[in-house]
Amino acid sequence: MTRLLIIGPPGSGKGTQAEKLARHFGVPAVSTGDIFRTNVSQETELGNQAAGYLDDGDFVPDQLTNALVKDRLLDADLQEGFLLDGYPRTATQVAELDTMLASQGFALDAVIELSAPDAVLEQRMRRRAADQGRTDDTVDVFRRRLDLYHRETHEVVSVYAGRGMLVPVDGSGEPGEITELAIAAVEKFLATPSPRA
Ligand code: ADP
């Protein structure tokens, strides 16, 4: 029964690591970015509302994002644990998530922060643009996403650091190596009694 978050800038390999970590910890990974992209490609109402924000590298409005996560957290497959990827991204979303989890009687166990230098992130984005063709993987949109990350998501990291829940992981190496580092760091963190317990 593990409830985890993973936070990291665009290009940090957050999605890749989320999948691998979720498998290791035996919980489903929930990526708000993936959910939005699926909805955009299926042209659902949510997708049509979100598409422009994704293409511009802007955050989808909180009202849509919070409602999406709130619904998803009630699904049967998440009652025994989950790994959230891409949410919360703003201080407001942290407060929303706190409320959602409290109403379900849940609490997070750890928050993984993946980091890598901006130059590494941009280089990876260029490679991914060639491989995957994501509409938000152009240099301009990528820089906007990175800028938003530094401006807004930094606060999210600070909040969880203040709660003593942050597990920093160096995301600048090869994917397999990062997974090993992350698993070791999270397991060590979970095995260490919390000072608040
Ligand atoms: P990346 O981390 O590479 O930016 P994601 O797949 O996590 O990619 O997110 C892609 C896009 O989905 C974001 O740029 C944003 O438009 C939207 N999105 C995902 N999560 C959120 C969120 N929590 N709040 C607002 N928008 C979000």
Side-chain angles (χ1 to χ4, degrees):
M1 197 115 56
T2 314
R3 297 189 179 86
L4 303 169
L5 294 188
I6 186 163
I7 302 179
S12 62
K14 185 169 54 77
T16 308
Q17 297 304 329
E19 291 294 334
K20 292 190 190 169
L21 294 172
R23 206 168 312 132
H24 177 85
F25 288 101
V27 293
V30 177
S31 155
T32 45
D34 280 351
I35 297 172
F36 284 132
R37 279 187 290 277
T38 304
N39 276 274
V40 170
S41 69
Q42 295 175 348
E43 299 183 16
T44 65
E45 195 184 330
L46 174 69
N48 294 337
Q49 286 172 307
Y53 299 101
L54 264 80
D55 286 349
D56 291 344
D58 285 330
F59 289 153
V60 175
D62 274 351
Q63 201 192 345
L64 288 178
T65 311
N66 291 331
L68 166 89
V69 174
K70 192 172 179 186
D71 273 3
R72 183 69 184 91
L73 284 177
L74 295 172
D75 287 342
D77 64 320
L78 300 190
Q79 301 315 298
E80 301 296 320
F82 54 76
L83 191 163
L84 264 183
D85 158 10
Y87 184 94
R89 259 178 158 88
T90 62
T92 314
Q93 291 182 359
V94 172
E96 286 289 330
L97 180 64
D98 285 344
T99 308
M100 291 176 210
L101 293 176
S103 75
Q104 293 185 271
F106 295 160
L108 294 174
D109 298 301
V111 177
I112 304 154
E113 182 200 15
L114 268 188
S115 46
D118 284 2
V120 171
L121 301 173
E122 187 166 325
Q123 198 183 6
R124 288 181 184 163
M125 179 280 300
R126 288 175 189 272
R127 211 181 313 149
R128 183 168 70 184
D131 293 347
Q132 297 180 7
R134 260 174 61 165
T135 51
D136 57 354
D137 276 344
T138 63
V139 173
D140 282 353
V141 174
F142 175 82
R143 289 198 178 141
R144 172 152 184 74
R145 283 155 59 212
L146 191 56
D147 181 52
L148 261 178
Y149 181 84
H150 288 311
R151 274 192 291 134
E152 299 273 351
T153 311
H154 176 75
E155 208 179 334
V156 174
V157 171
S158 306
V159 170
Y160 290 120
R163 295 182 190 177
M165 298 180 67
L166 204 66
V167 182
V169 175
D170 179 357
S172 54
E174 291 304 314
E177 183 192 341
I178 300 170
T179 308
E180 281 174 30
L181 284 175
I183 289 173
V186 172
E187 286 186 339
K188 185 173 170 207
F189 181 86
L190 295 178
T192 309
S194 150
R196 293 165 301 146

